[in-house]
């Protein structure tokens, strides 16, 4: 299956009212399927954002299945896992543009290449921006909103500052199993992507 087919298959498991309006917006008004996941690190190629999203979903569902094998009472979170993983990085849509960049080669000579740079026309943060964009079309549960908001976990700069309100908020939110699950899936996906030089399929 292609990445787009995998995305559509994942969406088909979501029964939440408004999901089709959200998907229509993603497909018709964003570059979600062609954007990179970053400018220089994981998924920094065309289509990288979609690949990263699907990898996060795979890790999240794999780990969730292990969790419910020990705690079946959490099965009710399955749809939330799909929603949170599939849409956690919508904040990265319509943000990256291609531009000519320069780098020195092995002979210390400058050579040009086409790279990515950020041009965010709606600078509203990271996880919180994804929550806002989703909420325009589909209602999120509180745990879903927290999982998406805090998916970067302690790697978010504001979280590393003691006595900062964000520090306290994250350290409280991470206690919810959905928040922890999505954060771990995102970290695992990035770790795998950054150690592979080939495009993930």
């Amino acid at each position: 299956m292609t990445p787009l087919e995998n995305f559509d298959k994942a969406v088909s498991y979501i029964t939440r009212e408004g999901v089709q309006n959200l998907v229509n917006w993603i497909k018709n008004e964003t570059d979600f399927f062609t954007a990179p996941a970053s400018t220089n690190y994981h998924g920094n190629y065309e289509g990288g954002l979609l690949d990263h999203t699907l990898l996060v979903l795979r890790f999240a569902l794999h780990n969730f299945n292990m969790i419910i094998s020990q705690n079946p009472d959490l099965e009710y979170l399955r749809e939330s896992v799909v929603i949170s993983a599939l849409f956690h990085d919508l904040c990265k849509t319509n943000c990256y543009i291609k531009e000519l960049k320069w780098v020195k080669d092995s002979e210390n000579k400058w050579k040009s290449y086409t790279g990515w740079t950020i041009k965010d026309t709606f600078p509203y943060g990271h996880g919180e921006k994804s929550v806002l964009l989703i909420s325009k079309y589909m209602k999120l549960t509180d745990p879903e909103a927290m999982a998406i908001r805090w998916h970067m976990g302690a790697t978010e700069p504001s979280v590393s500052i003691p006595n900062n309100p964000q520090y306290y908020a994250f350290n409280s939110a991470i206690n919810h199993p959905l928040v922890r699950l999505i954060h771990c899936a995102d970290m695992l996906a990035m770790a795998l992507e950054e150690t592979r030089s080939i495009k993930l399929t």
Side-chain angles (χ1 to χ4, degrees):
M1 293 179 70
T2 67
L4 177 56
E5 289 171 335
N6 282 321
F7 175 85
D8 287 336
K9 182 179 179 181
V11 168
S12 72
Y13 292 108
I14 301 173
T15 61
R16 187 77 50 83
E17 181 180 356
V19 66
Q20 199 53 56
N21 291 333
L22 175 61
V23 170
N24 288 342
W25 171 75
I26 292 171
K27 289 186 174 181
N28 298 319
E29 298 185 44
T30 78
D31 59 356
F32 180 81
F33 300 100
T34 57
S38 68
T39 56
N40 297 304
Y41 302 103
H42 71 98
N44 61 331
Y45 55 84
E46 191 165 308
L49 178 56
L50 178 58
D51 284 349
H52 169 72
T53 296
L54 294 174
L55 189 56
V56 170
L57 178 62
R58 285 168 58 191
F59 273 123
L61 286 174
H62 177 76
N63 292 338
F64 180 69
N65 287 332
M66 288 194 297
I67 289 169
I68 62 169
S69 71
Q70 303 298 316
N71 189 350
D73 291 344
L74 292 176
E75 175 63 37
Y76 76 95
L77 286 173
R78 184 174 296 276
E79 184 178 54
S80 293
V81 172
V82 176
I83 289 171
S84 302
L86 205 56
F87 303 128
H88 77 282
D89 263 349
L90 282 186
C91 54
K92 293 183 175 181
T93 59
N94 301 334
C95 282
Y96 297 104
I97 59 172
K98 290 181 179 179
E99 71 171 10
L100 191 65
K101 295 189 174 185
W102 295 85
V103 65
K104 284 189 175 182
D105 61 19
S106 58
E107 297 177 355
N108 205 34
K109 295 180 180 179
W110 288 103
K111 66 176 183 178
S112 65
Y113 71 100
T114 301
W116 298 93
T117 191
I118 296 175
K119 187 176 182 181
D120 192 351
T121 58
F122 182 35
Y124 194 71
H126 190 69
E128 59 266 49
K129 181 177 176 180
S130 291
V131 170
L132 178 63
L133 292 173
I134 297 165
S135 298
K136 289 182 177 182
Y137 303 93
M138 184 180 75
K139 184 175 176 58
L140 294 170
T141 66
D142 289 350
E144 290 163 2
M146 290 191 300
I148 294 167
R149 167 63 183 91
W150 296 113
H151 72 265
M152 288 185 65
T155 63
E156 183 173 309
S158 63
V159 170
S160 63
I161 305 172
N163 301 318
N164 183 300
Q166 306 294 345
Y167 170 87
Y168 291 113
F170 167 72
N171 280 283
S172 179
I174 197 65
N175 291 314
H176 194 284
L178 182 64
V179 177
R180 188 165 296 186
L181 184 71
I182 298 302
H183 169 50
C184 289
D186 190 54
M187 295 297 103
L188 287 168
M190 286 193 296
L192 179 57
E193 290 163 335
E194 289 176 3
T195 57
R196 296 183 63 173
S197 59
I198 62 172
K199 181 177 175 181
L200 292 165
T201 57

